[in-house]
Amino acid sequence: MDKQHHITPEQYELLVTHAQIGRTINGLAHDVNNYLGVIMAYAELIDAESNLNPDCQRMIREMTDAVELSSRMLDTLTTISLKNSERIAQCDVPELIDGVAALFSYELNLNRIDVTKNIDLKHITLRINEPKLQRIFMYLVVAAIEIAKESKCSSLLLSAYEQDQYVTLSVGLPGIDLGFQVSQGLFDSFYTFPDSNRMIVGLESACELAASLGGELTVDKQHGLQVVLDTSNLPGELSQD
Amino acid sequence: MDKQHHITPEQYELLVTHAQIGRTINGLAHDVNNYLGVIMAYAELIDAESNLNPDCQRMIREMTDAVELSSRMLDTLTTISLKNSERIAQCDVPELIDGVAALFSYELNLNRIDVTKNIDLKHITLRINEPKLQRIFMYLVVAAIEIAKESKCSSLLLSAYEQDQYVTLSVGLPGIDLGFQVSQGLFDSFYTFPDSNRMIVGLESACELAASLGGELTVDKQHGLQVVLDTSNLPGELSQD
């Protein structure tokens, strides 16, 4: 690790703890998905084989919805954790944004940060390495949440828009000028806010990941943290959904 | 970060990815536990309100078992991730060992590593900071799994035993002499195996955590990686269950 990595022992311990927990996610997701599969199958069987009243039928539907929502969160984390996958797939951008945002809904609620979305794309799918793009977007969301907490900003704006051959996914912090943070090294490996112990990791990795997709991480006054993808650089063109 | 932290860009990216995923675990566990609560409540209501045949009653039981097993895995991860908690509680050692081992059951199966347990404790509860002890034990299990994969060892022995005022939790790799790894810096922050890119993180943190509990991380020829706790140093004495 090079000179950029300044980190206190407490921050290091937290990073390592999180890394160890993150390392277990594939196994956890696999096991919990198996249990969810059991629940789903039996809920459907009970519904089919028993003469349930309308109230109980509604409960069965809510159970299967709960299984699906849980399963989706676990799947997003599993996809993100795919190591060095070079698989190129059709990636539905609004779905990707929703999936990543769902991972943080609890933390956002807890910190009273509202999320609004603004998706303005003619083509909503990209032919791209989806785990990488999810990971980049996750890093941007994490960074934005930390900045929002630090600066008492109470909303995030997740947006996606197209201009010429560029598709941009951004995480905006309305009213916050990120110029200061950028000048202080926001894109280094470990950015620590000057007034607190709060730390942002991963933006350096996000830059590298973006570059590997032929894109770039930028900061825009209006849109906040963003990843700009040059679709003429992607392995396939934009495709109509 | 000091000179001990040698790490390749790929390893660094993996560490950061895992850390970002681990960071989401509390929110994920909270949300998924809410969904599991819905499933549990409705399963019980349907069972109570409908005249289910014995087959469907068995399915309800299997559903609630699946909910409980999922919930337990998520709870273990949530407890482990508790940051700087100084809460001292009665900790059931065999349960702690089972909980941590369950997190890795998928990875262990995938790598065909058998787990056996050998718990020989007169007193099975300790008055201790449970998240810290879980975290230490998790680090030991992760390290042992990496060593097992590297050295094609197909079994782990999780044990706990008492001698005088010492309680020891250990993760053994039968037939593997860890002397070489230790001499090569196994307890440094990032240990990389000489013949592969496989990396072990966290043992340095585990040493510090053990010290903060008045204990010590050691390597024993017979028992493998172990944490030795001096119960006369713990905030309360051992208590009969």
PDB file of all heavy atoms in Angstrom, chain A residues 43-69:
ATOM      1  N   ALA A  43     -44.970 -22.353   0.824  1.00  0.00           N
ATOM      2  CA  ALA A  43     -46.075 -21.387   0.811  1.00  0.00           C
ATOM      3  C   ALA A  43     -46.967 -21.671  -0.397  1.00  0.00           C
ATOM      4  O   ALA A  43     -48.195 -21.678  -0.290  1.00  0.00           O
ATOM      5  CB  ALA A  43     -45.523 -19.967   0.760  1.00  0.00           C
ATOM      6  N   GLU A  44     -46.343 -21.942  -1.532  1.00  0.00           N
ATOM      7  CA  GLU A  44     -47.131 -22.220  -2.739  1.00  0.00           C
ATOM      8  C   GLU A  44     -47.890 -23.539  -2.616  1.00  0.00           C
ATOM      9  O   GLU A  44     -49.050 -23.649  -3.026  1.00  0.00           O
ATOM     10  CB  GLU A  44     -46.226 -22.210  -3.976  1.00  0.00           C
ATOM     11  CG  GLU A  44     -45.813 -20.783  -4.344  1.00  0.00           C
ATOM     12  CD  GLU A  44     -44.734 -20.698  -5.416  1.00  0.00           C
ATOM     13  OE1 GLU A  44     -44.157 -21.747  -5.777  1.00  0.00           O
ATOM     14  OE2 GLU A  44     -44.454 -19.565  -5.875  1.00  0.00           O
ATOM     15  N   LEU A  45     -47.233 -24.547  -2.033  1.00  0.00           N
ATOM     16  CA  LEU A  45     -47.895 -25.850  -1.859  1.00  0.00           C
ATOM     17  C   LEU A  45     -49.095 -25.750  -0.918  1.00  0.00           C
ATOM     18  O   LEU A  45     -50.159 -26.310  -1.186  1.00  0.00           O
ATOM     19  CB  LEU A  45     -46.899 -26.872  -1.305  1.00  0.00           C
ATOM     20  CG  LEU A  45     -46.135 -27.694  -2.334  1.00  0.00           C
ATOM     21  CD1 LEU A  45     -45.057 -28.524  -1.641  1.00  0.00           C
ATOM     22  CD2 LEU A  45     -47.087 -28.619  -3.100  1.00  0.00           C
ATOM     23  N   ILE A  46     -48.897 -25.027   0.188  1.00  0.00           N
ATOM     24  CA  ILE A  46     -49.995 -24.885   1.160  1.00  0.00           C
ATOM     25  C   ILE A  46     -51.165 -24.161   0.502  1.00  0.00           C
ATOM     26  O   ILE A  46     -52.322 -24.541   0.672  1.00  0.00           O
ATOM     27  CB  ILE A  46     -49.502 -24.133   2.422  1.00  0.00           C
ATOM     28  CG1 ILE A  46     -48.535 -25.013   3.210  1.00  0.00           C
ATOM     29  CG2 ILE A  46     -50.681 -23.713   3.308  1.00  0.00           C
ATOM     30  CD1 ILE A  46     -47.806 -24.310   4.342  1.00  0.00           C
ATOM     31  N   ASP A  47     -50.837 -23.134  -0.269  1.00  0.00           N
ATOM     32  CA  ASP A  47     -51.880 -22.378  -0.963  1.00  0.00           C
ATOM     33  C   ASP A  47     -52.647 -23.287  -1.932  1.00  0.00           C
ATOM     34  O   ASP A  47     -53.867 -23.229  -2.041  1.00  0.00           O
ATOM     35  CB  ASP A  47     -51.230 -21.213  -1.726  1.00  0.00           C
ATOM     36  CG  ASP A  47     -52.262 -20.201  -2.193  1.00  0.00           C
ATOM     37  OD1 ASP A  47     -53.352 -20.132  -1.587  1.00  0.00           O
ATOM     38  OD2 ASP A  47     -51.974 -19.476  -3.168  1.00  0.00           O
ATOM     39  N   ALA A  48     -51.921 -24.156  -2.629  1.00  0.00           N
ATOM     40  CA  ALA A  48     -52.557 -25.017  -3.630  1.00  0.00           C
ATOM     41  C   ALA A  48     -53.353 -26.152  -2.988  1.00  0.00           C
ATOM     42  O   ALA A  48     -54.414 -26.526  -3.461  1.00  0.00           O
ATOM     43  CB  ALA A  48     -51.491 -25.590  -4.566  1.00  0.00           C
ATOM     44  N   GLU A  49     -52.842 -26.698  -1.893  1.00  0.00           N
ATOM     45  CA  GLU A  49     -53.438 -27.916  -1.329  1.00  0.00           C
ATOM     46  C   GLU A  49     -54.487 -27.667  -0.264  1.00  0.00           C
ATOM     47  O   GLU A  49     -55.235 -28.576   0.089  1.00  0.00           O
ATOM     48  CB  GLU A  49     -52.328 -28.808  -0.752  1.00  0.00           C
ATOM     49  CG  GLU A  49     -51.440 -29.398  -1.832  1.00  0.00           C
ATOM     50  CD  GLU A  49     -50.474 -30.429  -1.287  1.00  0.00           C
ATOM     51  OE1 GLU A  49     -50.582 -30.792  -0.103  1.00  0.00           O
ATOM     52  OE2 GLU A  49     -49.607 -30.862  -2.067  1.00  0.00           O
ATOM     53  N   SER A  50     -54.493 -26.454   0.297  1.00  0.00           N
ATOM     54  CA  SER A  50     -55.455 -26.207   1.367  1.00  0.00           C
ATOM     55  C   SER A  50     -56.536 -25.272   0.846  1.00  0.00           C
ATOM     56  O   SER A  50     -56.328 -24.515  -0.098  1.00  0.00           O
ATOM     57  CB  SER A  50     -54.769 -25.560   2.571  1.00  0.00           C
ATOM     58  OG  SER A  50     -53.635 -26.305   2.931  1.00  0.00           O
ATOM     59  N   ASN A  51     -57.641 -25.326   1.487  1.00  0.00           N
ATOM     60  CA  ASN A  51     -58.747 -24.459   1.096  1.00  0.00           C
ATOM     61  C   ASN A  51     -58.689 -23.203   1.971  1.00  0.00           C
ATOM     62  O   ASN A  51     -59.452 -23.056   2.924  1.00  0.00           O
ATOM     63  CB  ASN A  51     -60.053 -25.231   1.293  1.00  0.00           C
ATOM     64  CG  ASN A  51     -61.196 -24.544   0.575  1.00  0.00           C
ATOM     65  OD1 ASN A  51     -60.969 -23.585  -0.170  1.00  0.00           O
ATOM     66  ND2 ASN A  51     -62.409 -25.007   0.810  1.00  0.00           N
ATOM     67  N   LEU A  52     -57.735 -22.318   1.651  1.00  0.00           N
ATOM     68  CA  LEU A  52     -57.491 -21.161   2.517  1.00  0.00           C
ATOM     69  C   LEU A  52     -58.553 -20.089   2.303  1.00  0.00           C
ATOM     70  O   LEU A  52     -59.006 -19.873   1.183  1.00  0.00           O
ATOM     71  CB  LEU A  52     -56.112 -20.567   2.225  1.00  0.00           C
ATOM     72  CG  LEU A  52     -54.891 -21.467   2.475  1.00  0.00           C
ATOM     73  CD1 LEU A  52     -53.618 -20.729   2.073  1.00  0.00           C
ATOM     74  CD2 LEU A  52     -54.815 -21.907   3.930  1.00  0.00           C
ATOM     75  N   ASN A  53     -58.891 -19.394   3.366  1.00  0.00           N
ATOM     76  CA  ASN A  53     -59.812 -18.265   3.218  1.00  0.00           C
ATOM     77  C   ASN A  53     -59.055 -17.087   2.590  1.00  0.00           C
ATOM     78  O   ASN A  53     -57.818 -17.085   2.543  1.00  0.00           O
ATOM     79  CB  ASN A  53     -60.472 -17.916   4.555  1.00  0.00           C
ATOM     80  CG  ASN A  53     -59.462 -17.427   5.582  1.00  0.00           C
ATOM     81  OD1 ASN A  53     -58.502 -16.740   5.229  1.00  0.00           O
ATOM     82  ND2 ASN A  53     -59.657 -17.789   6.839  1.00  0.00           N
ATOM     83  N   PRO A  54     -59.791 -16.071   2.086  1.00  0.00           N
ATOM     84  CA  PRO A  54     -59.133 -14.965   1.371  1.00  0.00           C
ATOM     85  C   PRO A  54     -58.060 -14.276   2.213  1.00  0.00           C
ATOM     86  O   PRO A  54     -57.017 -13.856   1.706  1.00  0.00           O
ATOM     87  CB  PRO A  54     -60.288 -14.001   1.072  1.00  0.00           C
ATOM     88  CG  PRO A  54     -61.517 -14.842   1.070  1.00  0.00           C
ATOM     89  CD  PRO A  54     -61.272 -15.940   2.049  1.00  0.00           C
ATOM     90  N   ASP A  55     -58.293 -14.174   3.524  1.00  0.00           N
ATOM     91  CA  ASP A  55     -57.330 -13.541   4.408  1.00  0.00           C
ATOM     92  C   ASP A  55     -56.008 -14.313   4.415  1.00  0.00           C
ATOM     93  O   ASP A  55     -54.919 -13.734   4.297  1.00  0.00           O
ATOM     94  CB  ASP A  55     -57.937 -13.536   5.818  1.00  0.00           C
ATOM     95  CG  ASP A  55     -57.604 -12.243   6.533  1.00  0.00           C
ATOM     96  OD1 ASP A  55     -57.456 -11.209   5.842  1.00  0.00           O
ATOM     97  OD2 ASP A  55     -57.486 -12.278   7.770  1.00  0.00           O
ATOM     98  N   CYS A  56     -56.114 -15.629   4.525  1.00  0.00           N
ATOM     99  CA  CYS A  56     -54.903 -16.452   4.532  1.00  0.00           C
ATOM    100  C   CYS A  56     -54.235 -16.462   3.159  1.00  0.00           C
ATOM    101  O   CYS A  56     -53.008 -16.521   3.052  1.00  0.00           O
ATOM    102  CB  CYS A  56     -55.227 -17.880   4.971  1.00  0.00           C
ATOM    103  SG  CYS A  56     -55.588 -18.008   6.729  1.00  0.00           S
ATOM    104  N   GLN A  57     -55.035 -16.368   2.104  1.00  0.00           N
ATOM    105  CA  GLN A  57     -54.444 -16.284   0.759  1.00  0.00           C
ATOM    106  C   GLN A  57     -53.613 -15.014   0.606  1.00  0.00           C
ATOM    107  O   GLN A  57     -52.549 -15.010   0.005  1.00  0.00           O
ATOM    108  CB  GLN A  57     -55.552 -16.331  -0.306  1.00  0.00           C
ATOM    109  CG  GLN A  57     -56.140 -17.727  -0.471  1.00  0.00           C
ATOM    110  CD  GLN A  57     -57.305 -17.761  -1.440  1.00  0.00           C
ATOM    111  OE1 GLN A  57     -57.768 -16.712  -1.908  1.00  0.00           O
ATOM    112  NE2 GLN A  57     -57.790 -18.950  -1.748  1.00  0.00           N
ATOM    113  N   ARG A  58     -54.149 -13.919   1.190  1.00  0.00           N
ATOM    114  CA  ARG A  58     -53.400 -12.655   1.159  1.00  0.00           C
ATOM    115  C   ARG A  58     -52.077 -12.811   1.923  1.00  0.00           C
ATOM    116  O   ARG A  58     -51.027 -12.343   1.496  1.00  0.00           O
ATOM    117  CB  ARG A  58     -54.251 -11.540   1.775  1.00  0.00           C
ATOM    118  CG  ARG A  58     -53.557 -10.182   1.809  1.00  0.00           C
ATOM    119  CD  ARG A  58     -54.330  -9.141   2.619  1.00  0.00           C
ATOM    120  NE  ARG A  58     -54.663  -9.563   3.969  1.00  0.00           N
ATOM    121  CZ  ARG A  58     -53.835  -9.573   5.011  1.00  0.00           C
ATOM    122  NH1 ARG A  58     -52.586  -9.166   4.865  1.00  0.00           N
ATOM    123  NH2 ARG A  58     -54.221 -10.002   6.197  1.00  0.00           N
ATOM    124  N   MET A  59     -52.140 -13.519   3.067  1.00  0.00           N
ATOM    125  CA  MET A  59     -50.907 -13.725   3.845  1.00  0.00           C
ATOM    126  C   MET A  59     -49.875 -14.504   3.042  1.00  0.00           C
ATOM    127  O   MET A  59     -48.685 -14.217   3.092  1.00  0.00           O
ATOM    128  CB  MET A  59     -51.234 -14.481   5.137  1.00  0.00           C
ATOM    129  CG  MET A  59     -52.058 -13.673   6.122  1.00  0.00           C
ATOM    130  SD  MET A  59     -52.354 -14.660   7.616  1.00  0.00           S
ATOM    131  CE  MET A  59     -53.775 -13.800   8.296  1.00  0.00           C
ATOM    132  N   ILE A  60     -50.346 -15.516   2.319  1.00  0.00           N
ATOM    133  CA  ILE A  60     -49.417 -16.292   1.481  1.00  0.00           C
ATOM    134  C   ILE A  60     -48.740 -15.357   0.470  1.00  0.00           C
ATOM    135  O   ILE A  60     -47.524 -15.417   0.259  1.00  0.00           O
ATOM    136  CB  ILE A  60     -50.168 -17.433   0.730  1.00  0.00           C
ATOM    137  CG1 ILE A  60     -50.654 -18.495   1.709  1.00  0.00           C
ATOM    138  CG2 ILE A  60     -49.288 -18.029  -0.365  1.00  0.00           C
ATOM    139  CD1 ILE A  60     -49.635 -19.532   2.131  1.00  0.00           C
ATOM    140  N   ARG A  61     -49.542 -14.468  -0.139  1.00  0.00           N
ATOM    141  CA  ARG A  61     -48.943 -13.538  -1.117  1.00  0.00           C
ATOM    142  C   ARG A  61     -47.917 -12.641  -0.451  1.00  0.00           C
ATOM    143  O   ARG A  61     -46.844 -12.398  -0.996  1.00  0.00           O
ATOM    144  CB  ARG A  61     -50.034 -12.686  -1.784  1.00  0.00           C
ATOM    145  CG  ARG A  61     -50.745 -13.384  -2.940  1.00  0.00           C
ATOM    146  CD  ARG A  61     -51.520 -12.376  -3.803  1.00  0.00           C
ATOM    147  NE  ARG A  61     -52.462 -11.581  -3.014  1.00  0.00           N
ATOM    148  CZ  ARG A  61     -53.677 -12.006  -2.642  1.00  0.00           C
ATOM    149  NH1 ARG A  61     -54.093 -13.215  -2.976  1.00  0.00           N
ATOM    150  NH2 ARG A  61     -54.473 -11.218  -1.938  1.00  0.00           N
ATOM    151  N   GLU A  62     -48.224 -12.156   0.755  1.00  0.00           N
ATOM    152  CA  GLU A  62     -47.252 -11.282   1.425  1.00  0.00           C
ATOM    153  C   GLU A  62     -45.993 -12.051   1.821  1.00  0.00           C
ATOM    154  O   GLU A  62     -44.889 -11.505   1.814  1.00  0.00           O
ATOM    155  CB  GLU A  62     -47.902 -10.610   2.640  1.00  0.00           C
ATOM    156  CG  GLU A  62     -49.037  -9.688   2.208  1.00  0.00           C
ATOM    157  CD  GLU A  62     -49.357  -8.591   3.219  1.00  0.00           C
ATOM    158  OE1 GLU A  62     -48.515  -8.314   4.095  1.00  0.00           O
ATOM    159  OE2 GLU A  62     -50.462  -8.015   3.108  1.00  0.00           O
ATOM    160  N   MET A  63     -46.165 -13.325   2.153  1.00  0.00           N
ATOM    161  CA  MET A  63     -44.991 -14.147   2.461  1.00  0.00           C
ATOM    162  C   MET A  63     -44.108 -14.308   1.231  1.00  0.00           C
ATOM    163  O   MET A  63     -42.885 -14.173   1.317  1.00  0.00           O
ATOM    164  CB  MET A  63     -45.440 -15.532   2.946  1.00  0.00           C
ATOM    165  CG  MET A  63     -45.995 -15.528   4.347  1.00  0.00           C
ATOM    166  SD  MET A  63     -46.871 -17.074   4.717  1.00  0.00           S
ATOM    167  CE  MET A  63     -45.515 -18.113   5.170  1.00  0.00           C
ATOM    168  N   THR A  64     -44.737 -14.598   0.096  1.00  0.00           N
ATOM    169  CA  THR A  64     -43.902 -14.812  -1.092  1.00  0.00           C
ATOM    170  C   THR A  64     -43.264 -13.486  -1.542  1.00  0.00           C
ATOM    171  O   THR A  64     -42.135 -13.483  -2.017  1.00  0.00           O
ATOM    172  CB  THR A  64     -44.695 -15.482  -2.242  1.00  0.00           C
ATOM    173  OG1 THR A  64     -45.840 -14.691  -2.537  1.00  0.00           O
ATOM    174  CG2 THR A  64     -45.162 -16.872  -1.848  1.00  0.00           C
ATOM    175  N   ASP A  65     -43.977 -12.362  -1.332  1.00  0.00           N
ATOM    176  CA  ASP A  65     -43.354 -11.067  -1.623  1.00  0.00           C
ATOM    177  C   ASP A  65     -42.127 -10.848  -0.728  1.00  0.00           C
ATOM    178  O   ASP A  65     -41.078 -10.380  -1.187  1.00  0.00           O
ATOM    179  CB  ASP A  65     -44.339  -9.916  -1.369  1.00  0.00           C
ATOM    180  CG  ASP A  65     -45.401  -9.817  -2.463  1.00  0.00           C
ATOM    181  OD1 ASP A  65     -45.253 -10.519  -3.479  1.00  0.00           O
ATOM    182  OD2 ASP A  65     -46.363  -9.046  -2.288  1.00  0.00           O
ATOM    183  N   ALA A  66     -42.282 -11.191   0.545  1.00  0.00           N
ATOM    184  CA  ALA A  66     -41.165 -11.002   1.493  1.00  0.00           C
ATOM    185  C   ALA A  66     -39.972 -11.858   1.082  1.00  0.00           C
ATOM    186  O   ALA A  66     -38.818 -11.430   1.156  1.00  0.00           O
ATOM    187  CB  ALA A  66     -41.614 -11.347   2.915  1.00  0.00           C
ATOM    188  N   VAL A  67     -40.255 -13.080   0.628  1.00  0.00           N
ATOM    189  CA  VAL A  67     -39.171 -13.946   0.159  1.00  0.00           C
ATOM    190  C   VAL A  67     -38.471 -13.307  -1.033  1.00  0.00           C
ATOM    191  O   VAL A  67     -37.240 -13.248  -1.098  1.00  0.00           O
ATOM    192  CB  VAL A  67     -39.716 -15.348  -0.236  1.00  0.00           C
ATOM    193  CG1 VAL A  67     -38.670 -16.139  -1.013  1.00  0.00           C
ATOM    194  CG2 VAL A  67     -40.144 -16.119   1.008  1.00  0.00           C
ATOM    195  N   GLU A  68     -39.265 -12.779  -1.970  1.00  0.00           N
ATOM    196  CA  GLU A  68     -38.657 -12.198  -3.170  1.00  0.00           C
ATOM    197  C   GLU A  68     -37.807 -10.963  -2.871  1.00  0.00           C
ATOM    198  O   GLU A  68     -36.722 -10.795  -3.422  1.00  0.00           O
ATOM    199  CB  GLU A  68     -39.743 -11.840  -4.192  1.00  0.00           C
ATOM    200  CG  GLU A  68     -40.000 -13.012  -5.125  1.00  0.00           C
ATOM    201  CD  GLU A  68     -41.241 -12.828  -5.976  1.00  0.00           C
ATOM    202  OE1 GLU A  68     -41.740 -11.688  -6.077  1.00  0.00           O
ATOM    203  OE2 GLU A  68     -41.724 -13.833  -6.527  1.00  0.00           O
ATOM    204  N   LEU A  69     -38.303 -10.118  -1.970  1.00  0.00           N
ATOM    205  CA  LEU A  69     -37.535  -8.917  -1.630  1.00  0.00           C
ATOM    206  C   LEU A  69     -36.231  -9.284  -0.911  1.00  0.00           C
ATOM    207  O   LEU A  69     -35.180  -8.702  -1.195  1.00  0.00           O
ATOM    208  CB  LEU A  69     -38.391  -7.984  -0.765  1.00  0.00           C
ATOM    209  CG  LEU A  69     -39.544  -7.305  -1.528  1.00  0.00           C
ATOM    210  CD1 LEU A  69     -40.547  -6.687  -0.563  1.00  0.00           C
ATOM    211  CD2 LEU A  69     -38.997  -6.232  -2.477  1.00  0.00           C
TER     212      LEU A  69
END
